[in-house]
Amino acid sequence: MAKRANKLVIVTEKVLMKKVAKIIDECGATGYTVVDTGGKGSRNVRSTGKPNTADTDSNVKFEVLTENREMAEKIADQVAIKFFTDYAGIIYICEAEVLYGRHFCGPDGC
């Protein structure tokens, strides 16, 4: 049996990685996945105003599973308010079903 969850996805500039991770932790999420990513968006420009020529100018994508939508929205609100005026980013929430995940589902599984 699957356990229902909310998947919060945050795509933003790599320079914010530690700051976003801190917000996620402080809001009580039990973990997250972060990967380097790239693409094209509506801003089509870095906050530095320079083309993407270095690793520090790239993007990262966080995926956070939360048991309730309120936690996901709290994380999203804090990240957006603190950073998205000055940095590129997008945040969205999807419904998810966790099939396997000892720490998320508990020792007996989902």
Side-chain angles (χ1 to χ4, degrees):
M1 176 116 191
K3 183 173 182 178
R4 296 185 68 70
N6 295 279
K7 181 173 80 168
L8 175 66
V9 178
I10 304 168
V11 181
T12 192
E13 297 181 40
K14 190 171 188 173
V15 69
L16 297 176
M17 187 166 64
K18 289 182 181 178
K19 293 177 181 180
V20 171
K22 183 178 179 186
I23 290 171
I24 293 168
D25 290 337
E26 289 174 346
C27 286
T30 58
Y32 55 84
T33 299
V34 62
V35 295
D36 288 321
T37 190
K40 179 181 175 188
S42 62
R43 285 182 59 163
N44 200 26
V45 68
R46 308 298 318 158
S47 65
T48 61
K50 300 176 185 174
N52 186 2
T53 58
D55 185 50
T56 56
D57 291 335
S58 63
N59 290 339
V60 290
K61 177 171 78 168
F62 285 86
E63 292 188 3
V64 186
L65 289 175
T66 64
E67 291 190 38
N68 60 66
R69 187 174 177 97
E70 291 77 24
M71 180 185 290
E73 289 179 355
K74 180 178 178 182
I75 295 167
D77 289 345
Q78 287 191 25
V79 170
I81 289 167
K82 288 183 180 180
F83 304 119
F84 285 3
T85 299
D86 299 317
Y87 297 90
I90 187 169
I91 302 174
Y92 56 94
I93 298 174
C94 306
E95 291 183 11
E97 293 183 7
V98 178
L99 300 176
Y100 301 100
R102 180 178 177 95
H103 295 288
F104 193 84
C105 298
D108 297 328
C110 296

